[in-house]
Amino acid sequence: MPERLAETLVDLWTPLIILWITLPSCVYMAPMNQAHVLTTGSPLELSRQSEEMRILSRSKRGWVWNQMFVLEEFSGPEPILVGRLHTDLDPGSKKIKYILSGDGAGTIFQINDITGDIHAIKRLDREEKAEYTLTAQAVDWETNKPLEPPSEFIIKVQDINDNAPEFLNGPYHATVPEMSILGTSVTNVTATDADDPVYGNSAKLVYSILEGQPYFSIEPETAIIKTALPNMDREAKEEYLVVIQAKDMGGHSGGLSGTTTLTVTLTDVNDNPPKFAQSLYHFSVPEDVVLGTAIGRVKANDQDIGENAQSSYDIIDGDGTALFEITSDAQAQDGVIRLRKPLDFETKKSYTLKVEAANIHIDPRFSGRGPFKDTATVKIVVEDADEPPVFSSPTYLLEVHENAALNSVIGQVTARDPDITSSPIRFSIDRHTDLERQFNINADDGKITLATPLDRELSVWHNITIIATEIRNHSQISRVPVAIKVLDVNDNAPEFASEYEAFLCENGKPGQVIQTVSAMDKDDPKNGHFFLYSLLPEMVNNPNFTIKKNEDNSLSILAKHNGFNRQKQEVYLLPIVISDSGNPPLSSTSTLTIRVCGCSSDGVVQSCNVEAYVLPIGLSMGALIAILACIILLLVIVVLFVTLRRHKNEPLIIKDDEDVRENIIRYDDEGGGEEDTEAFDIATLQNPDGINGFLPRKDIKPDLQFMPRLQKRLPKGNTRE
């Protein structure tokens, strides 16, 4: 056993010793070719064994590398040596053949199957592919049987500085408020470099400004752009162009660079006050201009923009502050002067105003520069105009009693021409407001008189319109409303508020209230109605009823005794005198009808007529109606029977007082002898009373279908055709 263990150790360490001897030559070749670096490591343990490897009597050995390097963009007359494959197997008398497979094998990388040297036959680009994974295998030259299992290794492409920095999002735009302090951050821009950031300085960038100084600066490493001058004024220059450079290799000479542009715009701040374009404005306006009309416009200019230029306008002084107002026009940024109250040329011909424009949005940073406002003077001249007449009052209220006499003066309206050349005025009533022509007006002095009688109970108010017209210019007219109130006089006597009818129970008690009545008066006294009730003098000692005045201005009628009997007297009439409290007082007599009724024990009225009283107790109203219907039906039958009986017994001979001329019927057919005598009653011809006509037999109906024509109706007293 010790001998076999020693033999195994010899077999294991012998290749390592050989590799250590050959390693210096490999390391020496790497710097010369600048293409590869070989590294050593522990032998790789085989995880899988093929059937062919099982027949090998020797122990498996591992490869002596794990990665190689090759420089990108290398070009030369000969392929570049990347590295050499070498196994730790003892070659002995056998020859070893090396096989390469994987990424780029045969197309990019080529291997010498005898020596194991690997060459790059194409130009490589790290930015296109940074590393390649290949598989190496050693086989027997003659049998092609694997001597080692396949093993992967990596060839990494080493970076060179072949890519310039790029600003992918340029050109750039940024803003910064004007008047900013020194070092205010504007923005930051970044460039990208496709070179390897972890190998050398190929991707280490340094930023600088090529154009845009001395206004802006940039931090070399972070690319943060800041203001380099304080208090830059937008009103002086609003936009700046900055050219920025990014250079790799840490900014050293030989590095590659890229540039971009940045447009910096200064945003506005409210650092300028408004300023009126002129210090004095002149406007003229006719005195009859409509209220609310724009008189003129004033404008204060502001070098700022947007909301920083918005100003509010006010009238702060002058003798026309009550007549004029100024409003701000947000669109035009000016002030509009408008008329608030009517002008009168004859009273005042000019006005002076002092207007102010002040910024709405104040920036506290610049409030110390002074007031952000300005003032100007406005002179307004009033022009004369032909004005319509002016009434002494905008409305008139007149009062008249309803019993006023016709043509009496109710009131008066006055008007004047406000112009300097005053014109006489004529007055008239707009008849559309006085269709019934109840009022008249004096055209010269405006006195209103009564044309027809008035009745307050029909209409309390009358609203008319008075027209004033200039005599010199009929187009100048004015109108004024006149309200005429009709005052009440006591011309209506009081009366019952409604048609009252009282019911008195036969079993009522003395002092029982039969009915409560109230009165009404069409008049309208100032202190309200107060009525006095009394009985007629001859009814003061009425034995049956008495009256009682209530606090609510109503009257109660009371029974003096009990034992009323509707068989003795069914209805009582009680006249009541009602007087008002007018001056002079008026009165009227209203009669209350009191019916005596049969009532239940609890005072509910059941019947108020004598017939119902004598009927048997317990007979319902439905039974009474049925009996009445039967009686009416019997009467109808009797009348019909008598009528039919009378017609049946009526004689055939015409009486003297009957006029039978309308019953004559003419026949054109010839006589039939005996047949004719059978058809007509000969006795009728012998009757002296039948001279003026004949009465047709009632037992024979004439055959009208053979009548050729109708007999004309003769005048009265003539029987001829």
Side-chain angles (χ1 to χ4, degrees):
M1 289 295 294
E3 293 179 357
R4 295 192 61 180
L5 179 59
E7 183 179 356
T8 302
L9 292 174
V10 171
D11 292 339
L12 179 61
W13 286 100
T14 299
L16 294 177
I17 295 172
I18 296 174
L19 176 62
W20 180 78
I21 296 173
T22 59
L23 182 59
S25 62
C26 295
V27 175
Y28 175 75
M29 292 175 61
M32 292 180 61
N33 295 290
Q34 297 291 323
H36 70 285
V37 176
L38 297 181
T39 60
T40 61
S42 62
L44 301 176
E45 296 294 336
L46 299 178
S47 61
R48 296 179 183 177
Q49 296 181 353
S50 62
E51 184 177 352
E52 291 83 1
M53 296 300 294
R54 292 195 190 100
I55 64 175
L56 296 177
S57 60
R58 300 186 60 182
S59 300
K60 303 300 176 286
R61 303 293 185 262
W63 297 97
V64 294
W65 76 91
N66 55 17
Q67 62 182 358
M68 298 180 182
F69 297 90
V70 60
L71 195 65
E72 71 167 334
E73 304 293 344
F74 180 84
S75 61
E78 297 295 335
I80 183 174
L81 178 62
V82 178
R84 175 177 296 173
L85 298 180
H86 186 70
T87 181
D88 58 354
L89 295 176
D90 183 10
S93 59
K94 297 180 180 179
K95 293 183 178 181
I96 297 175
K97 181 179 180 181
Y98 294 96
I99 299 175
L100 186 66
S101 62
D103 291 344
T107 57
I108 299 176
F109 302 103
Q110 196 174 51
I111 190 171
N112 187 319
D113 54 2
I114 298 175
T115 63
D117 293 338
I118 300 175
H119 292 82
I121 60 176
K122 286 186 177 181
R123 186 174 181 176
L124 300 177
D125 187 359
R126 189 199 67 83
E127 286 72 40
E128 180 178 347
K129 190 173 179 64
E131 61 181 35
Y132 297 84
T133 302
L134 297 102
T135 302
Q137 190 172 22
V139 299
D140 185 86
W141 182 268
E142 295 179 355
T143 63
N144 282 333
K145 291 183 178 181
L147 301 177
E148 295 285 350
S151 180
E152 288 186 352
F153 67 96
I154 297 173
I155 298 178
K156 289 189 175 183
V157 182
Q158 284 185 328
D159 182 59
I160 65 171
N161 190 21
D162 60 342
N163 290 278
E166 293 183 355
F167 293 92
L168 301 179
N169 298 322
Y172 299 88
H173 296 271
T175 59
V176 63
E178 65 170 332
M179 310 305 293
S180 296
I181 62 175
L182 179 66
T184 301
S185 177
V186 179
T187 186
N188 69 314
V189 296
T190 55
T192 59
D193 195 316
D195 293 325
D196 191 353
V198 299
Y199 180 77
N201 295 327
S202 298
K204 185 178 181 181
L205 304 180
V206 174
Y207 298 91
S208 62
I209 291 181
L210 301 181
E211 183 180 340
Q213 296 153 334
Y215 306 105
F216 301 96
S217 63
I218 189 171
E219 292 186 0
E221 296 181 357
T222 62
I224 297 177
I225 300 171
K226 299 180 179 180
T227 58
L229 286 179
N231 301 328
M232 287 189 289
D233 191 0
R234 185 199 66 84
E235 287 74 33
K237 185 176 182 179
E238 184 176 6
E239 194 172 85
Y240 296 84
L241 181 66
V242 181
V243 179
I244 302 169
Q245 182 189 66
K247 190 174 183 180
D248 59 15
M249 298 299 293
H252 295 94
S253 61
L256 302 178
S257 64
T259 60
T260 187
T261 60
L262 169 66
T263 301
V264 181
T265 302
L266 298 182
T267 58
D268 185 62
V269 297
N270 191 11
D271 59 338
N272 293 281
K275 185 70 176 176
F276 278 105
Q278 56 194 75
S279 60
L280 180 62
Y281 293 84
H282 291 275
F283 302 108
S284 60
V285 55
E287 63 173 331
D288 59 350
V289 67
V290 180
L291 297 183
T293 301
I295 305 301
R297 289 175 177 262
V298 296
K299 184 176 179 62
N301 298 315
D302 196 320
Q303 294 182 357
D304 298 319
I305 58 175
E307 68 174 16
N308 296 322
Q310 293 179 0
S311 297
S312 62
Y313 295 85
D314 293 292
I315 299 175
I316 60 175
D317 197 6
D319 55 2
T321 55
L323 278 73
F324 302 94
E325 65 179 357
I326 188 169
T327 57
S328 302
D329 187 342
Q331 297 295 330
Q333 291 295 312
D334 57 7
V336 183
I337 301 175
R338 301 181 185 274
L339 183 65
R340 292 178 57 190
K341 294 183 179 180
L343 299 174
D344 186 7
F345 172 81
E346 290 72 25
T347 303
K348 191 173 178 61
K349 297 178 175 58
S350 66
Y351 297 90
T352 301
L353 305 175
K354 186 177 182 180
V355 297
E356 179 186 78
N359 276 157
I360 298 175
H361 305 283
I362 303 297
D363 194 329
R365 295 178 298 173
F366 310 105
S367 58
R369 294 190 174 187
F372 279 72
K373 59 181 67 175
D374 193 19
T375 59
T377 302
V378 178
K379 288 188 175 294
I380 301 175
V381 177
V382 181
E383 298 177 348
D384 189 23
D386 190 3
E387 300 175 86
V390 177
F391 283 96
S392 60
S393 176
T395 59
Y396 290 89
L397 175 62
L398 306 179
E399 294 181 345
V400 57
H401 286 89
E402 59 180 328
N403 61 350
L406 297 181
N407 298 321
S408 59
V409 177
I410 300 174
Q412 184 179 13
V413 298
T414 58
R416 65 177 182 85
D417 184 3
D419 299 320
I420 296 178
T421 58
S422 180
S423 172
I425 307 297
R426 291 188 64 86
F427 299 95
S428 61
I429 297 178
D430 186 352
R431 291 303 177 183
H432 292 91
T433 61
D434 185 24
L435 297 176
E436 297 180 0
R437 295 182 175 270
Q438 293 182 284
F439 306 96
N440 290 324
I441 189 171
N442 189 303
D444 297 324
D445 58 13
K447 290 182 179 180
I448 301 173
T449 57
L450 184 62
T452 61
L454 299 176
D455 187 356
R456 190 203 65 84
E457 286 69 44
L458 295 179
S459 180
V460 178
W461 288 95
H462 297 272
N463 297 300
I464 63 175
T465 299
I466 304 300
I467 302 174
T469 307
E470 290 185 10
I471 295 178
R472 295 176 185 174
N473 186 358
H474 291 175
S475 64
Q476 295 297 330
I477 62 173
S478 296
R479 298 172 182 268
V480 67
V482 178
I484 302 173
K485 182 179 181 180
V486 182
L487 302 178
D488 182 58
V489 295
N490 193 27
D491 58 347
N492 291 278
E495 58 187 7
F496 277 160
S498 63
E499 293 292 335
Y500 291 103
E501 185 177 18
F503 298 94
L504 174 63
C505 292
E506 290 180 312
N507 56 355
K509 298 179 181 180
Q512 181 179 0
V513 177
I514 301 172
Q515 179 72 38
T516 299
V517 298
S518 60
M520 55 86 63
D521 195 328
K522 295 180 180 179
D523 296 321
D524 186 19
K526 293 183 179 180
N527 299 324
H529 291 291
F530 181 78
F531 299 114
L532 297 175
Y533 300 92
S534 62
L535 298 176
L536 290 176
E538 59 270 21
M539 298 291 292
V540 173
N541 297 320
N542 189 305
N544 299 313
F545 307 101
T546 184
I547 60 175
K548 176 185 177 182
K549 176 68 180 297
N550 300 320
E551 293 181 358
D552 60 354
N553 220 13
S554 63
L555 180 70
S556 296
I557 293 90
L558 295 80
K560 282 188 173 183
H561 61 84
N562 57 359
F564 288 90
N565 193 331
R566 52 181 158 165
Q567 285 186 323
K568 293 181 179 181
Q569 185 172 348
E570 182 182 4
V571 177
Y572 293 88
L573 300 179
L574 183 64
I576 299 175
V577 179
I578 310 174
S579 301
D580 59 19
S581 56
N583 186 18
L586 298 178
S587 63
S588 67
T589 302
S590 299
T591 302
L592 177 65
T593 301
I594 303 174
R595 295 184 179 275
V596 181
C597 303
C599 302
S600 62
S601 59
D602 54 357
V604 178
V605 176
Q606 292 181 339
S607 176
C608 296
N609 53 68
V610 177
E611 290 78 3
Y613 180 78
V614 300
L615 287 175
I617 299 176
L619 193 59
S620 65
M621 185 61 66
L624 292 176
I625 295 174
I627 294 172
L628 182 60
C630 293
I631 293 173
I632 294 173
L633 181 60
L634 290 175
L635 290 175
V636 171
I637 294 173
V638 170
V639 171
L640 291 176
F641 178 77
V642 172
T643 303
L644 294 176
R645 184 76 174 177
R646 181 180 178 185
H647 282 290
K648 184 175 181 181
N649 296 331
E650 184 179 358
L652 298 176
I653 304 301
I654 301 175
K655 296 182 180 179
D656 295 340
D657 56 349
E658 291 181 351
D659 190 357
V660 297
R661 286 174 295 175
E662 298 299 329
N663 295 326
I664 297 176
I665 300 176
R666 177 174 177 174
Y667 293 88
D668 290 336
D669 49 345
E670 296 180 357
E674 295 179 355
E675 296 177 356
D676 195 34
T677 60
E678 294 178 359
F680 298 93
D681 190 358
I682 301 302
T684 305
L685 300 176
Q686 297 175 355
N687 189 353
D689 297 333
I691 298 175
N692 294 331
F694 68 92
L695 183 65
R697 293 175 58 181
K698 294 184 178 181
D699 56 344
I700 299 177
K701 182 183 293 185
D703 192 359
L704 299 180
Q705 64 181 353
F706 295 101
M707 295 174 63
R709 66 179 182 272
L710 295 176
Q711 175 70 26
K712 290 184 179 180
R713 182 172 296 177
L714 298 177
K716 187 174 182 181
N718 188 3
T719 58
R720 299 180 60 185
E721 295 183 354

